Amino acid sequence: MTLCHGKKYVLSVIISVILSLQLTVTTSLLTPSHHHRPTFKTTTFHTLTKAWKNPCSNNENHHRITTYTQIIPPTHTKLFQSNNDNDNNNVIDRFLSPIIDDRGLPLADTLIAQIVAPTLQVFWLSANHAPRPTWLQPYFASSATQNLFQLAPARGSLVAPTLIHGAGLACCWILGALASEGFQSDAFNISGGRGYKTVLSRLLRAGSFATGVLILSTQLDLLREYGGQYVQFGQSDETDVRLLSALVEVINDVFFEGIVLGSWRIYRASLTGDPSGRPPNYKP
């Protein structure tokens, strides 16, 4: 009888050691940050079970104590941090199910990015007699009359290319605004002592993302223009001129879009200082 209980004791010690090792590995995988430690909840159940035919057991029934250890993960760990954040922190959800607190803001951003900023750029370049960008070419013009349009373009012939190019710039900005959560109330709300810190931060993040999309789109357009051939500076004078013009056009687009959209967003945020301009879900 003593030998059988000794074997049971040794077996229980071995199982306890194995469980302790597994618990140590699991705790290390949680990687808690600083003062956040995992907590453990131990529950002991006293059950009365019927014994099987065992030579080491003389009683019909015996008392068995079963202990379960439950690991309660910490709330601030690298593994569980994403579960505690809101659902919109997922990058994909920012594009597929964005939070838009002002329904008119995406439409206003689109109109400003598509019409106001490119038109201001065209007026500025024309007033300073600067070279016309490659995208500002009249559509449906033959090669024979293209030089004539360059000298004296027909009235209204530059509206279509400006709107089409502006539509591409508006798409870049909308993607940047979605990526930076630029349509949430925090991106244009300064009431309650919030200030312009979050507004400017979201604005810079959206502009950076939109600039990256614009650069990528320009590279793809150059790749299509040269028939899938990768071109770079130094190959020929023709490619150097084309690359320099593309670089200048990207800089002009970023500058004018940044000035116009930045001014509009700051003005929109200033309206929230008055109760009539605050978002519907305003929380002081």
Side-chain angles (χ1 to χ4, degrees):
M1 188 66 181
T2 304
L3 181 60
C4 294
H5 284 286
K7 291 181 178 179
K8 288 184 178 180
Y9 179 74
V10 174
L11 183 60
S12 63
V13 171
I14 295 175
I15 294 176
S16 300
V17 172
I18 294 175
L19 291 177
S20 300
L21 292 176
Q22 292 179 350
L23 186 62
T24 303
V25 174
T26 306
T27 305
S28 63
L29 288 177
L30 290 175
T31 60
S33 58
H34 302 292
H35 302 289
H36 299 280
R37 299 293 181 183
T39 57
F40 306 97
K41 181 179 180 181
T42 303
T43 305
T44 303
F45 298 94
H46 297 267
T47 58
L48 189 63
T49 59
K50 195 171 183 178
W52 296 93
K53 292 182 179 180
N54 193 337
C56 297
S57 178
N58 295 327
N59 300 327
E60 181 68 18
N61 297 321
H62 68 89
H63 197 70
R64 185 178 64 183
I65 299 177
T66 306
T67 303
Y68 297 93
T69 302
Q70 179 184 2
I71 302 176
I72 303 176
T75 57
H76 294 81
T77 61
K78 295 179 180 178
L79 186 60
F80 295 97
Q81 186 176 4
S82 60
N83 295 332
N84 297 324
D85 297 333
N86 52 34
D87 297 335
N88 207 53
N89 277 346
N90 192 351
V91 178
I92 299 178
D93 291 340
R94 295 182 185 181
F95 296 95
L96 299 181
S97 57
I99 298 177
I100 301 177
D101 293 326
D102 187 357
R103 297 183 179 180
L105 187 59
L107 179 59
D109 285 357
T110 301
L111 294 177
I112 291 174
Q114 180 183 5
I115 300 176
V116 179
T119 303
L120 180 62
Q121 180 179 352
V122 172
F123 286 162
W124 177 265
L125 295 177
S126 300
N128 291 275
H129 304 284
R132 189 176 301 169
T134 57
W135 52 265
L136 192 61
Q137 301 296 335
Y139 285 90
F140 309 108
S142 61
S143 58
T145 59
Q146 190 170 3
N147 294 329
L148 180 61
F149 277 121
Q150 289 285 345
L151 297 177
R155 179 176 299 178
S157 62
L158 303 180
V159 175
T162 302
L163 294 178
I164 293 176
H165 183 71
L169 297 178
C171 291
C172 296
W173 169 252
I174 293 298
L175 290 176
L178 292 175
S180 63
E181 301 174 339
F183 297 122
Q184 295 185 7
S185 60
D186 293 337
F188 56 90
N189 189 8
I190 63 170
S191 59
R194 291 178 173 85
Y196 289 91
K197 181 179 179 181
T198 304
V199 176
L200 295 177
S201 176
R202 299 285 181 89
L203 187 62
L204 291 176
R205 287 163 54 188
S208 300
F209 191 92
T211 302
V213 175
L214 178 60
I215 294 174
L216 179 61
S217 302
T218 304
Q219 292 177 342
L220 294 177
D221 183 65
L222 291 174
L223 190 65
R224 179 197 58 82
E225 181 178 346
Y226 286 95
Q229 181 183 1
Y230 178 76
V231 294
Q232 55 185 353
F233 287 103
Q235 291 185 357
S236 63
D237 295 339
E238 181 182 359
T239 57
D240 290 347
V241 172
R242 181 66 184 93
L243 293 178
L244 286 175
S245 63
L247 177 61
V248 172
E249 291 171 8
V250 169
I251 294 176
N252 289 335
D253 289 337
V254 172
F255 176 78
F256 284 96
E257 291 287 339
I259 292 296
V260 174
L261 286 171
S263 302
W264 152 246
R265 280 304 188 107
I266 293 176
Y267 170 73
R268 177 64 184 89
S270 66
L271 296 178
T272 59
D274 186 80
S276 61
R278 293 172 183 173
N281 59 346
Y282 169 73
K283 296 180 180 180

